[in-house]
Amino acid sequence: EVQLVESGGGLVQPGGSLRLSCEASGFTFSSFWMHWVRQAPGKGLVWVSRINSYGGSTDYADSVKGRFTISRDNAKNTLYLQMNSLRGEDTAVYYCARETALTGSFFIDVWGKGTTVTVSS
Amino acid sequence: DIHMTQSPSTLSASIGDRVTITCRASQSITTWLAWYQQKPGGAPRLLIYKASTLQSGVPSRFSGSGSGTEFTLNISSLQPDDFATYYCQQYNSYLLTFGGGTKVEI
């Protein structure tokens, strides 16, 4: 069964840091581009970042550029999101997601259940 | 960035109703559009990609259409399991953007 399991969320003070992890199973992790998408309480989905299959190329939403870093360890089947200089507006459920293998397409076909990040003093 | 606008934001319907949700893009995205379903407290689930291709395992009462800047998601006969929030998402650009969502309620 294809599965993505996020961890690492929690309560952090403004200006603090947190590292999210996402463990993948049931598929060849090293063959897929991966994403982070977040959802603030009661709001819609917002794309955060993506990384290519071997970790050599990354992209970020303007709102997190320079503060967040996406990375991966293919030997451990794990995706990461290092979040620094956190702000109240970063409070959200963070979803780990897999990009489709269809050539030329970027849509997400598998989602994790999410991990909650709360930034508050 | 490509902006996605969904309408309506909330839709009240009954079991057996035909439901239509509209999604508009701020510029042409040809058919690079996906639809997702999200239930309260749950993760999104892919329903449709390339505007009209049904994801494996998704019931055939769901269908998608459109191209360019205007797209629709149809549910032919609403079932109890379909009460959820639906999001469109463009992938014409790697800077993925989502619509604001349409909540389908009883």
Side-chain angles (χ1 to χ4, degrees), chain A residues 90-106:
Chain A
D90 296 319
T91 294
V93 175
Y94 284 74
Y95 294 102
C96 166
R98 187 185 82 172
E99 184 176 298
T100 179
L102 292 177
T103 304
S105 288
F106 312 130

Side-chain angles (χ1 to χ4, degrees), chain A residues 43-106:
Chain A
K43 301 296 184 182
L45 301 166
V46 176
W47 176 79
V48 172
S49 181
R50 79 169 193 170
I51 187 167
N52 71 350
S53 57
Y54 59 90
S57 175
T58 59
D59 297 297
Y60 298 93
D62 286 345
S63 59
V64 306
K65 205 173 290 184
R67 300 188 298 124
F68 290 12
T69 302
I70 190 172
S71 62
R72 63 193 297 161
D73 185 335
N74 286 343
K76 294 183 178 179
N77 290 339
T78 302
L79 176 72
Y80 302 101
L81 186 67
Q82 176 67 43
M83 304 186 296
N84 298 330
S85 303
L86 282 161
R87 307 166 180 167
E89 54 264 38
D90 296 319
T91 294
V93 175
Y94 284 74
Y95 294 102
C96 166
R98 187 185 82 172
E99 184 176 298
T100 179
L102 292 177
T103 304
S105 288
F106 312 130

Side-chain angles (χ1 to χ4, degrees), chain B residues 44-56:
Chain B
R45 168 197 179 198
L46 176 66
L47 298 176
I48 286 168
Y49 60 93
K50 209 161 187 297
S52 61
T53 304
L54 206 62
Q55 173 70 345
S56 175

